[in-house]
């Protein structure tokens, strides 16, 4: 059974999701994949919260945030997140009142060895399982 408040990652070929990314509560409104880490993405959500997911660390089908923080003092919803494509250690967030820029730690921005291979392996394992079902 799928969760109503989860973000799902799919392949192009199959209807079943590879992963479900679950916020701790509430909805997710925006998402961006890291330009330097194919296994890392940032989501903006309800109550000013930003969730960062590192798929190489949090494996499994139901993925919880690797880290999260409150991006808006007012608790307004984060409606936009964007990594800086030139300086990917910076993440911008936007709510209805302001745009803020956050400096992320090296663990979330430094590419890991064979990270692309890990993501490919997850997708290929799931699509192979779907094809044999």
């Amino acid at each position: 059974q799928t969760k109503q408040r989860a973000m799902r990652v799919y392949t192009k070929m199959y209807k079943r999701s590879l992963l479900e990314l679950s916020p701790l509560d509430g909805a997710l409104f925006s998402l961006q994949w890291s330009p330097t880490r194919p296994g890392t993405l940032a989501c903006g959500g309800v109550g000013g919260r930003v969730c960062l997911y590192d798929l190489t660390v949090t494996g499994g089908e139901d993925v919880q945030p690797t880290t999260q923080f409150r991006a808006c003092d007012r608790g307004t919803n984060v409606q936009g997140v964007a990594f800086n494509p030139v300086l990917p250690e910076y993440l911008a967030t936007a709510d209805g009142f302001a745009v803020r820029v956050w400096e992320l730690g090296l663990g979330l921005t430094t590419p890991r060895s064979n990270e692309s291979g890990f993501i490919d392996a997850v997708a290929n394992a799931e699509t192979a399982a779907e094809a044999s079902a």
Side-chain angles (χ1 to χ4, degrees), residues 9-57:
V9 178
Y10 294 88
T11 68
K12 292 180 182 179
M13 299 175 61
Y14 298 103
K15 294 179 183 178
R16 190 172 78 85
S17 64
L18 295 176
L19 301 168
E20 285 192 9
L21 307 176
S22 302
L24 296 180
D25 63 23
L28 298 173
F29 295 114
S30 58
L31 170 128
Q32 187 177 30
W33 291 94
S34 168
T36 59
R37 297 263 332 264
T40 300
L41 53 108
C43 299
V46 71
R49 194 180 41 195
V50 171
C51 296
L52 291 137
Y53 297 87
D54 182 346
L55 303 181
T56 66
V57 172

Side-chain angles (χ1 to χ4, degrees), residues 5-131:
R5 293 183 177 174
M7 176 181 48
R8 292 169 190 82
V9 178
Y10 294 88
T11 68
K12 292 180 182 179
M13 299 175 61
Y14 298 103
K15 294 179 183 178
R16 190 172 78 85
S17 64
L18 295 176
L19 301 168
E20 285 192 9
L21 307 176
S22 302
L24 296 180
D25 63 23
L28 298 173
F29 295 114
S30 58
L31 170 128
Q32 187 177 30
W33 291 94
S34 168
T36 59
R37 297 263 332 264
T40 300
L41 53 108
C43 299
V46 71
R49 194 180 41 195
V50 171
C51 296
L52 291 137
Y53 297 87
D54 182 346
L55 303 181
T56 66
V57 172
T58 58
E61 289 184 15
D62 184 18
V63 179
Q64 298 298 316
T66 305
T67 190
Q68 61 181 328
F69 60 91
R70 190 168 175 175
C72 309
D73 292 336
R74 299 173 194 230
T76 54
N77 298 333
V78 177
Q79 299 169 0
V81 294
F83 286 94
N84 182 316
V86 177
L87 300 169
E89 64 271 19
Y90 294 103
L91 177 76
T93 63
D95 64 354
F97 297 97
V99 173
R100 294 170 183 85
V101 178
W102 306 90
E103 185 173 1
L104 303 175
L106 292 176
L108 290 168
T109 59
T110 303
R112 296 176 187 224
S113 64
N114 200 27
E115 186 167 354
S116 294
F118 171 81
I119 299 302
D120 289 341
V122 169
N124 290 335
E126 292 295 327
T127 55
E130 182 76 20

